[in-house]
Amino acid sequence: MTAIAISQPGGPAVLKPERRSTPQAGPDEILIRVRAAGVNRPDVAQRNGSYPPPPGASDLPGLEVAGEVAAIGENVGRWRIGDHVCALTPGGGYAEYVKVHASHVLPIPAGFTFSEAAAVPETYFTVWHNVFERGGLQAGETLLVHGGSSGIGTTAIQLATARGARVIATAGTADKCGICLKLGAERAVNYREEDFVAVVKEVTEGKGANVILDMVGGDYVDRNYIAAAEEGRIVQIAVQGGAVASANFARLMAKRLVHTGSTLRPRSDEFKGKVAAALEAEVWPLLASRRVAPVMDMIYPLKEAWRAHERLESGESIGKVVLDVA
């Protein structure tokens, strides 16, 4: 098969097509003929050499795919050859074939193309677990989403709105703020021109945000503590602004805040399977009805994965960047 490998740590140009042996599905796995693969920030971190794959995972980048079932392990009962599916993978998605634990596989939502379906797993698994399971967002509460125009951000805005929450989102340009509003955010904050803390206090009449989804870190940590409501939950999913921060923990204590965080890729097969089951029950009906849907940015051929990474790192993308593998 053709796959995109990381020839050495570095910039987008280190992503090189090469021939690899087609993987073989284990007893609890299925083999997917990949038709499209999502491109995500962790792929960029792996390419840079700062996010190695977990033990036993493919060294190829790619954490989400959509395609057709090509082979089935002996313990797999649900899927059949030819089924159209999408899946979360621990790596290996930038290839014509990838093997995946069967519990991490979901049917392609009704009416979705392969490209749209490939843009779903990584962000929806991440948002569901962090916003609703770990963050405990409830209808009527306020969610503050940093990076509102990203794949994660556009997903969080739509899901929170669909489930009855108020959303405030931050983004870096007027156009990106406009997208956030179009997707359902009550207020979008251009962080280059406005102070998100002040806006949150204004919109919530001084109460603050009940849940904050943060992928920035750095000096946002202390500002999140100020913006949070009493009993607020702050969920850290990335630290693009810095992994080390100075914060006033008196605020955390006084407001009885919870500051938690998680990474998805190293979690167990059992954990990911439980998230997949929750998504199919709670979110797949919303996708099928198009109440929520991935925001599509650009689609590139597999062999031009380097261009997809350039796009993602440019800061100009809105929503999801996808590779066409067909």
Side-chain angles (χ1 to χ4, degrees):
M1 68 174 184
T2 297
I4 302 299
I6 300 169
S7 59
Q8 63 185 48
V14 305
L15 295 172
K16 304 286 189 181
E18 63 178 48
R19 298 297 291 175
R20 289 276 187 107
S21 297
T22 300
Q24 302 298 305
D28 299 309
E29 296 174 328
I30 68 170
L31 182 68
I32 298 176
R33 167 63 173 100
V34 180
R35 297 297 183 182
V39 178
N40 295 282
R41 287 283 176 180
D43 302 338
V44 173
Q46 180 177 338
R47 190 204 74 217
N48 287 333
S50 60
Y51 192 46
S58 170
D59 65 314
L60 300 173
L63 302 177
E64 58 185 347
V65 300
E68 301 150 345
V69 176
I72 301 170
E74 60 188 42
N75 296 335
V76 178
R78 176 177 183 180
W79 304 107
R80 298 290 180 267
I81 302 295
D83 284 349
H84 287 194
V85 296
C86 59
L88 184 76
T89 79
Y94 290 15
E96 291 180 317
Y97 290 89
V98 65
K99 64 177 183 177
V100 185
H101 195 280
S103 68
H104 307 166
V105 179
L106 289 161
I108 288 182
F112 273 47
T113 65
F114 284 126
S115 294
E116 289 176 316
V120 169
E122 171 71 10
T123 51
Y124 279 78
F125 271 72
T126 298
V127 169
W128 179 259
H129 174 61
N130 286 288
V131 173
F132 298 99
E133 294 182 341
R134 189 168 290 274
L137 183 68
Q138 301 295 316
E141 291 190 320
T142 299
L143 170 68
L144 171 61
V145 181
H146 292 303
S149 64
S150 67
I152 293 288
T154 54
T155 299
I157 292 169
Q158 292 180 81
L159 275 181
T161 301
R163 294 176 66 85
R166 302 173 70 190
V167 179
I168 303 168
T170 66
T173 70
D175 287 345
K176 290 181 177 181
C177 285
I179 291 292
C180 294
L181 294 171
K182 184 177 179 180
L183 293 173
E186 182 175 328
R187 180 74 156 81
V189 183
N190 185 335
Y191 62 78
R192 301 182 193 278
E193 299 176 354
E194 297 181 283
D195 175 14
F196 72 79
V197 175
V199 173
V200 169
K201 293 293 187 180
E202 176 189 348
V203 172
T204 62
E205 299 179 338
K207 295 177 182 178
N210 304 102
V211 178
I212 300 175
L213 183 65
D214 184 28
M215 58 194 79
V216 180
D219 66 2
Y220 272 36
V221 173
D222 198 51
R223 296 168 71 192
N224 285 336
Y225 289 177
I226 303 172
E230 291 188 356
E231 308 284 354
R233 291 84 71 194
I234 300 154
V235 189
Q236 204 75 44
I237 59 169
V239 286
Q240 294 173 13
V244 178
S246 175
N248 184 345
F249 290 108
R251 295 189 179 106
L252 181 144
M253 295 184 291
K255 291 183 176 181
R256 302 174 300 283
L257 303 177
V258 173
H259 189 173
T260 184
S262 72
T263 56
L264 178 61
R265 191 179 191 184
R267 298 299 294 271
S268 68
D269 288 338
E270 180 183 11
F271 169 81
K272 294 174 185 175
K274 288 180 179 178
V275 177
L279 283 172
E280 188 165 8
E282 300 288 343
V283 176
W284 249 235
L286 297 175
L287 289 164
S289 66
R290 292 276 178 174
R291 287 188 64 191
V292 301
V295 174
M296 305 298 290
D297 183 76
M298 297 286 286
I299 300 173
Y300 296 94
L302 176 64
K303 292 184 178 181
E304 296 180 15
W306 62 273
R307 291 182 61 205
H309 277 226
E310 282 190 339
R311 175 69 178 173
L312 201 61
E313 291 184 283
S314 72
E316 298 177 358
S317 62
I318 294 176
K320 295 289 292 191
V321 177
V322 171
L323 299 176
D324 182 359
V325 189

